Amino acid sequence: MSSERELLEESIKLELNVGEIYKIFSDFFGDDREFWQQLSLEEVNHAQLLKAGIEMFSAEMFPDELLFARLSDLQKINGQLEKLKKEYLI
């Protein structure tokens, strides 16, 4: 069973990965650059909020509704996003 801290740390990775994907979109879709940049910034802010929450509170204090149920799901999604990033950044 995964700890809440592991779920939060993997959730932070997810937010940052999605933010990087949006950044890639901003480069590919120049006409909508501002839109994608704003979404990217929002994802980075989500990650920062989670980091701050870990630092200020115990990971166990986060509501279950804010966390994925399974660490393996998060890891799988993050793996797919990492693959996408590598594919489009090369």
Side-chain angles (χ1 to χ4, degrees):
M1 177 147 203
S2 306
S3 72
E4 284 84 358
R5 183 166 186 101
E6 288 175 306
L7 287 168
L8 284 167
E9 288 174 357
E10 200 68 28
S11 294
I12 290 167
K13 288 180 192 176
L14 176 66
E15 298 289 350
L16 294 173
N17 279 328
V18 171
E20 289 175 18
I21 293 292
Y22 289 159
K23 173 70 174 86
I24 292 168
F25 287 177
S26 78
D27 294 337
F28 274 95
F29 306 110
D31 290 345
D32 299 317
R33 184 177 319 276
E34 288 182 35
F35 170 75
W36 293 112
Q37 287 176 337
Q38 182 61 39
L39 288 179
S40 177
L41 180 60
E42 288 177 15
E43 296 304 322
V44 170
N45 288 338
H46 295 160
Q48 290 173 341
L49 284 170
L50 290 172
K51 285 180 187 179
I54 290 173
E55 292 172 8
M56 294 180 69
F57 307 106
S58 164
E60 291 77 24
M61 294 178 70
F62 278 80
D64 290 338
E65 296 81 23
L66 293 180
L67 301 174
F68 272 76
R70 294 191 310 249
L71 181 63
S72 61
D73 291 342
L74 276 170
Q75 291 169 330
K76 181 178 177 181
I77 294 166
N78 276 324
Q80 292 168 337
L81 291 172
E82 290 287 338
K83 185 178 175 182
L84 267 175
K85 287 186 328 188
K86 287 179 185 174
E87 184 177 328
Y88 286 98
L89 291 178
I90 293 176

